[in-house]
């Protein structure tokens, strides 16, 4: 936490304050507020240290892409080129929730992080990010009756085609018997956070705007329970050299399942759904997908077979869709032909023996340009072990792979996880090029992790990862995590 005491920048005005002040001011508010009930403070602190010993060589770099506009050449400063060889990265993540601030329904929620490449950056280059920070007035009803949820600040909005992060206001009002309505409005300051060292990057309304909403209708009609949702969103940003964003989208989604109290009790677990998302600027569909899925017990239907457990905990799905590359209307690629891809996906799995489960998944996709992809995966798991096989064929080549993983509780507080994978690639008929050397067509990877729960609220994790193939020769990594959770009433 030492890095959080460092003063960080806020916005374009250069205002500085210690980020740890966020952790101080909230308890103070709770203490001095006229409380009808005790303020509850909860959250978590997660510290992660990531070490990498790569054999790529000292000349291999990870770079940050800097957007310089449509007609400008991308420039990557040397200060943003981080060597991959023998690198150490430290990340601190903080989540804080303060509930019942003066009144029972008022709360404040925030999460932020700080990251530093210890082998390549000074403390002053630590990157701070404020992921969310909003006040919430919540009167949600879990049963019949009207309720609402009001939020102000940096937040994630769930509203169909308008889902995303905004800096602004959102309101959700509804009744579990009929559905709900969600509206939101704000700016998009988080867009620039990826390319700045600011803790808080806040746009003015003249720089960006995001507005939208969703209406969701849901009501049991005899034996079935249909759901219909309509959503609309518009995002505008003043053209800038670093990023230009605009979008106007509409969405319709529907779902049908057996009601909890209807006569179609044998169909409980079945669900039919569909979703359409359309770009109103260019007048074409972004995606049109639909499917069927089921989860439940099919053992009674298969009782005539000798395996008594066959069909227990069955889960199955099938999905068909047409998707178009989701590009911004002002992207330099927007003028290119964007043929939608047709996709068919499906899978099923169930218990086949006591303690043993089998799952299979497959997919097929093609485009008008003639590019086809198809794949298959099968896994069998039980008694803490999982064995899997993957098969893929497509326009870019083929891949076959084996996977073995295991999880075991060694002692009451100590767990062990192991994963080993081996893949073989075939790049097809490609001219002699170094990046497609046959020696790189196979790789073996593995992971070994130990987890120890020191206390109910404090856990430690150590994880070693390794990769070996003809191109990498060897790539070894270590991840250490300390996770502390807390909850207290003030």
């Amino acid at each position: 936490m030492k890095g959080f005491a460092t003063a960080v920048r806020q916005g374009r005005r250069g205002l500085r304050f210690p980020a740890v002040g966020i952790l101080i001011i909230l308890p103070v508010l709770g203490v001095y507020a006229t409380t009808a009930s005790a303020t509850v403070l909860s959250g978590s602190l997660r510290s992660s240290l990531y070490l990498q010993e790569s054999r790529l060589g000292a000349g291999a770099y990870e770079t940050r892409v800097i957007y310089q506009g449509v007609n400008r050449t991308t420039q990557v400063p040397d200060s943003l080129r981080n060597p991959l060889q023998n690198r150490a990265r430290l990340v601190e993540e903080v989540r804080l929730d303060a509930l019942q601030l003066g009144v029972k329904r008022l709360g404040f929620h925030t999460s932020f992080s700080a990251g530093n490449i210890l082998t390549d950056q000074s403390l002053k280059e630590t990157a701070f990010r404020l992921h969310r920070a909003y006040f919430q007035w919540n009167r949600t009803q879990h049963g019949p009756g009207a309720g609402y949820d009001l939020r102000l600040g940096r937040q994630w909005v769930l509203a169909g085609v308008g889902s995303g992060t905004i800096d602004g206001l959102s309101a959700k009002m509804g009744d579990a018997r009929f559905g709900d309505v969600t509206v939101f409005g704000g700016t998009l300051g988080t867009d620039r956070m990826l390319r700045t060292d600011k803790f808080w990057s806040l746009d003015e309304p003249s720089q960006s705007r995001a507005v939208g909403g969703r209406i969701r209708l849901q009501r049991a009609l005899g034996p079935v329970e249909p759901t219909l949702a309509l959503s609309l969103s518009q995002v505008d940003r003043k053209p800038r050299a670093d990023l230009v964003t605009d979008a106007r989208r509409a969405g319709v989604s529907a779902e049908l399942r057996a009601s909890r109290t209807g006569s179609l009790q044998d169909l409980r677990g079945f669900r039919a759904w569909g979703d359409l998302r359309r770009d109103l600027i260019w007048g074409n569909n972004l995606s049109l997908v639909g499917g069927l899925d089921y989860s439940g017990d099919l053992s009674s239907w298969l009782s005539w077979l000798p395996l008594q457990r066959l069909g227990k905990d069955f889960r199955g799905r099938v999905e068909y869709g047409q998707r178009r590359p989701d590009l911004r209307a002002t992207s330099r690629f927007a003028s290119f032909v964007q043929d939608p891809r047709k996709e068919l996906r499906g899978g099923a799995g169930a218990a086949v023996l006591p303690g043993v489960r089998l799952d299979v998944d497959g997919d097929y996709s093609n485009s008008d340009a003639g590019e086809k992809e198809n794949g298959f995966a099968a896994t069998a798991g039980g008694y803490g072990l999982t064995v899997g096989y993957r098969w893929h064929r497509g326009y870019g080549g083929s891949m076959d792979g084996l996977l073995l993983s295991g999880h075991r509780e060694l002692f009451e507080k100590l767990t062990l996880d192991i994963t080993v994978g081996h893949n073989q690639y075939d790049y097809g008929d490609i001219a002699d090029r170094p990046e497609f050397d046959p020696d790189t067509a196979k790789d073996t990877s593995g992971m070994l992790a130990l987890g120890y729960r020191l206390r109910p609220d404090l856990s430690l994790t150590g994880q070693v990862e390794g990769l070996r193939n003809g191109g990498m020769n060897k790539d070894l990594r270590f991840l250490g995590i300390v996770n502390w959770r807390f909850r207290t009433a003030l």
Side-chain angles (χ1 to χ4, degrees):
M1 288 296 294
K2 180 174 66 175
F4 286 110
T6 306
V8 293
R9 301 182 183 91
Q10 182 189 29
R12 294 171 297 136
R13 300 181 179 180
L15 180 63
R16 296 172 177 266
F17 73 100
V20 74
I22 296 179
L23 301 177
I24 298 175
I25 191 171
L26 291 177
V28 173
L29 287 174
V31 171
Y32 287 96
T34 305
T35 58
S37 57
T39 297
V40 177
L41 190 66
S42 65
S44 64
L45 172 62
R46 180 186 177 102
S47 303
S48 305
L49 178 64
Y50 193 60
L51 307 176
Q52 178 179 1
E53 181 184 348
S54 174
R55 298 303 184 187
L56 286 172
Y61 292 90
E62 175 189 69
T63 60
R64 281 177 58 189
V65 176
I66 306 300
Y67 295 89
Q68 298 292 343
V70 173
N71 298 317
R72 302 185 187 181
T73 303
T74 299
Q75 302 290 335
V76 180
D78 290 340
S79 61
L80 298 179
R81 292 164 55 86
N82 306 126
L84 289 173
Q85 186 180 38
N86 301 327
R87 182 169 62 170
R89 183 193 297 270
L90 178 65
V91 179
E92 297 278 356
E93 300 170 89
V94 177
R95 179 184 63 83
L96 184 65
D97 301 290
L99 306 178
Q100 302 175 174
L101 290 175
V103 291
K104 184 178 181 180
R105 305 190 187 280
L106 180 62
F108 181 79
H109 309 272
T110 185
S111 66
F112 53 94
S113 65
N116 188 285
I117 301 177
L118 303 178
T119 51
D120 192 52
Q121 295 179 331
S122 66
L123 187 61
K124 294 187 299 183
E125 295 178 287
T126 300
F128 292 86
R129 295 288 181 267
L130 181 61
H131 304 290
R132 63 171 183 161
Y134 64 91
F135 286 95
Q136 179 184 33
W137 186 278
N138 189 348
R139 190 182 179 277
T140 302
Q141 294 287 110
H142 297 289
Y148 56 83
D149 185 356
L150 305 177
R151 302 184 182 190
L152 175 63
R154 174 159 296 175
Q155 59 187 284
W156 173 268
V157 176
L158 182 62
V161 294
S163 298
T165 301
I166 66 166
D167 294 328
L169 174 68
S170 72
K172 179 179 179 180
M173 297 154 284
D175 189 314
R177 298 169 296 179
F178 307 104
D180 54 66
V181 177
T182 300
V183 294
F184 66 88
T187 61
L188 300 168
T190 54
D191 278 0
R192 286 201 308 251
M193 284 177 57
L194 298 177
R195 294 168 305 283
T196 71
D197 59 353
K198 293 181 173 62
F199 177 72
W200 174 276
S201 179
L202 184 64
D203 275 359
E204 297 177 356
S206 60
Q207 295 175 304
S208 68
R209 289 185 298 272
V211 296
R214 182 188 70 172
I215 300 177
R216 188 175 67 93
L217 305 176
Q218 178 179 356
R219 183 170 176 81
L221 300 176
V224 297
E225 186 174 276
T227 301
L228 176 65
L230 308 175
S231 59
L232 182 68
S233 74
Q234 178 163 336
V235 175
D236 302 294
R237 180 184 280 282
K238 183 179 179 181
R240 306 178 61 86
D242 56 353
L243 183 66
V244 177
T245 303
D246 67 331
R248 189 180 303 120
R249 296 173 179 172
V252 180
S253 62
E255 179 181 298
L256 183 66
R257 65 175 71 203
S259 66
R260 298 178 180 179
T261 59
S263 59
L264 301 178
Q265 293 300 305
D266 291 341
L267 294 181
R268 289 194 61 185
F270 277 104
R271 183 177 74 105
W273 60 274
D275 184 271
L276 168 66
R277 301 190 176 202
R278 187 169 179 83
D279 188 324
L280 299 182
I281 295 179
W282 293 98
N284 53 35
N285 292 340
L286 292 171
S287 65
L288 174 59
V289 295
L292 299 169
D293 55 58
Y294 172 77
S295 60
D297 186 355
L298 296 182
S299 59
S300 59
W301 295 8
L302 304 174
S303 59
W304 53 275
L305 293 174
L307 299 176
Q308 296 181 355
R309 298 282 303 179
L310 187 62
K312 288 284 187 180
D313 190 24
F314 177 86
R315 292 192 294 269
R317 63 181 178 85
V318 60
E319 172 189 322
Y320 176 79
Q322 298 184 24
R323 293 182 173 88
R324 184 182 299 273
D326 189 4
L327 301 176
R328 299 184 179 96
T330 52
S331 167
R332 70 184 72 184
F333 300 108
S335 60
F336 287 75
V337 176
Q338 302 174 41
D339 292 328
R341 297 187 64 87
K342 301 178 179 65
E343 302 175 347
L344 178 64
R345 304 172 183 271
V352 293
L353 293 171
V356 178
R357 179 182 179 85
L358 178 64
D359 292 273
V360 294
D361 291 277
D363 64 85
Y364 172 82
S365 67
N366 65 8
S367 68
D368 294 341
E371 299 180 0
K372 298 181 180 180
E373 302 279 339
N374 54 86
F376 170 83
T379 59
Y383 302 99
L385 291 176
T386 300
V387 180
Y389 169 73
R390 296 186 299 171
W391 176 92
H392 184 87
R393 298 293 182 268
Y395 180 79
S398 61
M399 189 268 300
D400 295 87
L402 294 173
L403 174 70
L404 173 65
S405 64
H407 172 81
R408 180 68 62 183
E409 294 186 2
L410 301 180
F411 302 102
E412 181 181 359
K413 297 182 179 181
L414 184 65
T415 59
L416 171 68
D417 289 271
I418 299 177
T419 299
V420 179
H422 179 76
N423 297 306
Q424 180 170 333
Y425 305 93
D426 182 359
Y427 300 114
D429 186 12
I430 299 177
D432 294 337
R433 294 173 63 179
E435 60 266 36
F436 296 111
D437 190 312
D439 290 338
T440 67
K442 297 180 181 180
D443 69 59
T444 301
S445 60
M447 183 273 293
L448 174 65
L450 287 173
Y452 183 69
R453 185 168 297 278
L454 190 62
R455 300 186 328 195
D457 58 352
L458 180 62
S459 62
L460 311 176
T461 302
Q463 179 173 309
V464 178
E465 305 170 356
L467 172 68
R468 185 180 183 88
N469 62 22
M472 297 287 288
N473 186 23
K474 184 175 69 174
D475 189 87
L476 186 63
R477 308 182 183 196
F478 170 79
L479 174 64
I481 300 175
V482 179
N483 191 42
W484 174 52
R485 298 177 293 107
F486 60 89
R487 182 179 178 90
T488 184
L490 302 177

